[in-house]
Amino acid sequence: MSLKLGVIGTGAIGQDHARRCSQTLLNSQVVALIDINPASATNVARQLGLQAEIHADGHALIAAADVDAVLVTCWGPSHEEFVLAAIAAGKPVFCEKPLAVTAEGCRRIVEAEIAHGKRLVQVGFMRPYDQGYRALKAVIDSGRIGEPLMLHCAHRNPTVGSNYSTDMAITDTLIHELDVLRWLIGDDYRSVQVIFPRRTSRASEQLRDPQIVLLETVKGVRIDVEIFVNCQYGYDIQCEVVGETGIARLPEPSQVQLRSQASLSTQILTDWKDRFIGAYDVELQAFIDGVRTGKVGGPSAWDGYAAAVAADACIAAQRSGAIEVLDLPPRPAFYD
Ligand code: NAD
Ligand code: ISE
């Protein structure tokens, strides 16, 4: 029997996930939708040809008897409320990043899930499902480059909307690195500093862009991440791991190499939806399969909390200019 999903929030990623769960992936169907803009939910249902009920609000959707599991894909500030409601209803929930907009909010979700006694939450950190990151991790785990010592990373978006602010470079963008790099090298962060280079003239008034985030892990690995969200030229994700005996790099997404008119060129993608299309498919198929077999896995509420603790420290570091120390408590055995 296919898993009946309800989707809360039918904006950019909500409609993309509704499409993949109803048209691309196996053993799932979308039976319910809701958006605070009802026309958006109705349009998505029509465009995708869904026989889906359009609910009055997220709580009604979660309570609906025919909804087996919930996708929370609305704006970040509403995530905590709907994830807690799904846990209270005992329904598995896939929540887009961030799990909640504060570390305390994530902590409340962790506590509610532990009290429930079984994992119900998967966070939409998709990079651990990306083929390139998985290949990079396999090389690191094989020991071929020795122990990781330094990581050099970049997260570049061509442009961002006019409401994007300096702290969103952390909560909306860097949050992916804060999750994937912990997973990649099996380490947690100890401290962080944020440095602001010369500001690009392409950024809006309220945004300091680019930024360089310098992290140190518990094992002493040094990580630099450049966040540059008005880089103009493309959507570009870089990660290089320097180990004791070698260097491993995240592969470029495969694109045709072109020799033409006396030049050698390769296209660079411009949209995160295309760059991680395979990863989004695999993460949601994993959620669907996990729910159907009674074993929700993947990035957990604890991972959402750990990323949020790091994000809070990064924002403090943006404001202070100083090195900020992180305070992540030990991981509860529930998440082992
Ligand atoms: P968006 O603005 O395009 O869509 C958000 C939608 O949520 C809007 O249609 C809005 O009307 C709706 N909404 C807001 N509050 C609601 C509520 N209380 N109940 C129901 N609907 C509500 O934004 P987006 O780009 O789709 O982002 C949505 C979430 O997904 C964000 O948390 C974002 O960080 C995350 N996201 C993740 C990735 C990724 O790579 N994993 C990419 C993009 C967005
Ligand atoms: C967006 O919300 C995402 O999650 C993308 O993956 C990220 O690259 C982008 O910077 C965010 O705005």
Side-chain angles (χ1 to χ4, degrees):
M1 269 237 308
S2 74
L3 185 72
K4 297 192 185 97
L5 295 168
V7 179
I8 303 178
T10 53
I13 205 149
Q15 50 191 277
D16 209 33
H17 286 346
R19 174 198 55 74
R20 57 174 45 89
C21 291
S22 58
Q23 296 179 356
T24 308
L25 305 182
L26 299 175
N27 302 316
S28 70
Q29 56 179 306
V30 174
V31 298
L33 297 168
I34 184 263
D35 195 286
I36 41 162
N37 171 10
S40 161
T42 309
N43 285 341
V44 170
R46 198 187 58 243
Q47 279 159 16
L48 296 176
L50 301 175
Q51 302 287 321
E53 182 162 351
I54 310 298
H55 285 271
D57 64 45
H59 293 283
L61 178 145
I62 291 166
D66 65 340
V67 169
D68 300 328
V70 181
L71 306 188
V72 175
T73 51
C74 52
W75 293 330
S78 309
H79 289 184
E80 179 186 349
E81 171 191 349
F82 294 130
V83 174
L84 287 174
I87 294 172
K91 293 195 179 179
V93 52
F94 173 93
C95 178
E96 261 308 332
K97 47 67 60 168
L99 176 59
V101 288
T102 62
E104 298 84 68
C106 294
R107 184 83 211 186
R108 285 190 282 274
I109 291 172
V110 163
E111 283 162 6
E113 191 179 39
I114 292 176
H116 173 77
K118 190 171 171 219
R119 262 198 71 178
L120 289 176
V121 181
Q122 179 177 329
V123 182
F125 286 130
M126 73 296 185
R127 292 200 193 173
Y129 294 98
D130 173 66
Q131 252 187 346
Y133 274 108
R134 292 181 90 93
L136 181 59
K137 183 167 173 58
V139 169
I140 297 167
D141 291 351
S142 74
R144 284 176 61 199
I145 62 165
E147 290 296 325
L149 307 175
M150 296 177 278
L151 272 64
H152 307 298
C153 310
H155 187 150
R156 304 193 186 109
N157 291 61
T159 53
V160 285
S162 56
N163 68 335
Y164 189 102
S165 53
T166 299
D167 58 343
M168 284 173 72
I170 306 296
T171 55
D172 195 52
T173 297
L174 178 79
I175 195 90
H176 285 293
E177 272 77 16
L178 292 176
D179 175 67
V180 79
L181 301 180
R182 292 174 63 237
W183 167 84
L184 191 65
I185 60 173
D187 205 349
D188 273 310
Y189 309 115
R190 180 161 59 195
S191 71
V192 62
Q193 184 178 15
V194 178
I195 289 170
F196 294 101
R198 182 180 176 188
R199 189 173 160 276
T200 171
S201 62
R202 306 301 174 108
S204 60
E205 288 269 297
Q206 80 277 13
L207 174 60
R208 296 184 74 174
D209 184 41
Q211 305 181 22
I212 298 171
V213 179
L214 302 171
L215 293 148
E216 185 186 11
T217 71
V218 172
K219 291 180 191 162
V221 177
R222 291 288 184 161
I223 302 173
D224 53 271
V225 187
E226 171 203 312
I227 314 160
F228 187 11
V229 293
N230 286 283
C231 79
Q232 310 293 309
Y233 73 86
Y235 182 69
D236 196 5
I237 304 299
Q238 299 289 327
C239 179
E240 180 181 86
V241 182
V242 180
E244 293 168 296
T245 59
I247 293 175
R249 270 191 86 89
L250 182 69
E252 294 290 337
S254 81
Q255 297 292 313
V256 170
Q257 212 184 53
L258 181 65
R259 284 173 160 79
S260 168
Q261 298 187 325
S263 77
L264 175 63
S265 62
T266 314
Q267 199 191 351
I268 296 177
L269 297 173
T270 55
D271 191 335
W272 46 264
K273 286 197 210 80
D274 301 325
R275 169 64 181 83
F276 287 110
I277 190 165
Y280 295 122
D281 286 350
V282 181
E283 71 167 353
L284 275 161
Q285 189 66 64
F287 177 70
I288 292 160
D289 295 347
V291 174
R292 292 180 79 240
T293 56
K295 280 192 189 142
V296 173
S300 65
W302 181 259
D303 295 319
Y305 172 64
V309 168
D312 282 358
C314 291
I315 289 170
Q318 281 181 329
R319 291 175 186 162
S320 69
I323 297 174
E324 299 287 341
V325 175
L326 269 79
D327 190 16
L328 181 68
R331 186 175 62 190
F334 181 84
Y335 291 103
D336 286 348

